[in-house]
Amino acid sequence: MAGETIITIAGNLTRDPELRTLNNGSTVANFTIAASERRFNRDTNQWEDGDTLFLNCSAWDSPHAPLASNIANSLAKGMTVLAQGRLAQRSYQAQDGTQRTVVELRVDQIGPSLRRATAQVTRQQNSNGGGFGGFGQPSGYTGGNGVTDPFATQPAADEDPWASEEPAF
């Protein structure tokens, strides 16, 4: 949508994601990402932490993408993550009766940082029983743009340039 502010943030989860199911049946994961600036101090010859941004985040399950559930099952406090989403501002009345406004990140994409960690990715099946061809389509679906799902079939080992230790070029 026009006018939305899209940002990407790299930081650490300050707590385990909290998964909640609302009265209307929607599922949301809430968590906080802390991003600290690191600076090299030439006087002390050491790295120092600068200011820290604590950004509240929310992610929602949808009929074709269980993002909130995947976050709750995959990520935990202390993990370094990369998240992309839309900034959203909302107002509410606090218990003391004052009006408050908060800014949060509505996460569209998130994953662990592989800078100092490894991850094993497990593809999920969609609710219609197909792979991730999209919106109930079976794996291998070729969309209107002519692009075939690259995860639908794996090339044979002799066709896979990453299967050997020698470069293919």
Side-chain angles (χ1 to χ4, degrees), residues 37-161:
E37 180 184 357
R38 298 272 292 163
R39 295 181 228 153
F40 188 75
N41 184 330
R42 293 179 190 225
D43 296 333
T44 63
N45 217 23
Q46 294 195 4
W47 286 95
E48 297 175 350
D49 285 331
D51 294 332
T52 301
L53 168 69
F54 293 92
L55 187 57
N56 290 327
C57 303
S58 63
W60 297 81
D61 278 351
S62 70
H64 62 276
L67 180 60
S69 300
N70 287 346
I71 289 170
N73 290 324
S74 303
L75 303 176
K77 177 181 177 177
M79 288 183 167
T80 303
V81 297
L82 302 169
Q84 183 179 51
R86 297 162 280 121
L87 284 181
Q89 178 176 306
R90 62 182 173 87
S91 297
Y92 67 96
Q93 188 171 6
Q95 289 180 347
D96 63 5
T98 61
Q99 194 69 17
R100 302 217 178 147
T101 301
V102 294
V103 175
E104 69 179 13
L105 180 66
R106 301 249 172 100
V107 174
D108 295 320
Q109 303 284 336
I110 189 168
S113 170
L114 300 181
R115 185 174 216 164
R116 293 191 178 101
T118 60
Q120 185 169 352
V121 177
T122 304
R123 291 182 50 84
Q124 303 275 315
Q125 293 293 317
N126 67 21
S127 61
N128 294 336
F132 274 79
F135 302 105
Q137 299 295 330
S139 288
Y141 165 72
T142 301
N145 62 3
V147 177
T148 302
D149 180 0
F151 299 102
T153 58
Q154 298 296 322
D158 58 344
E159 297 174 19
D160 184 359

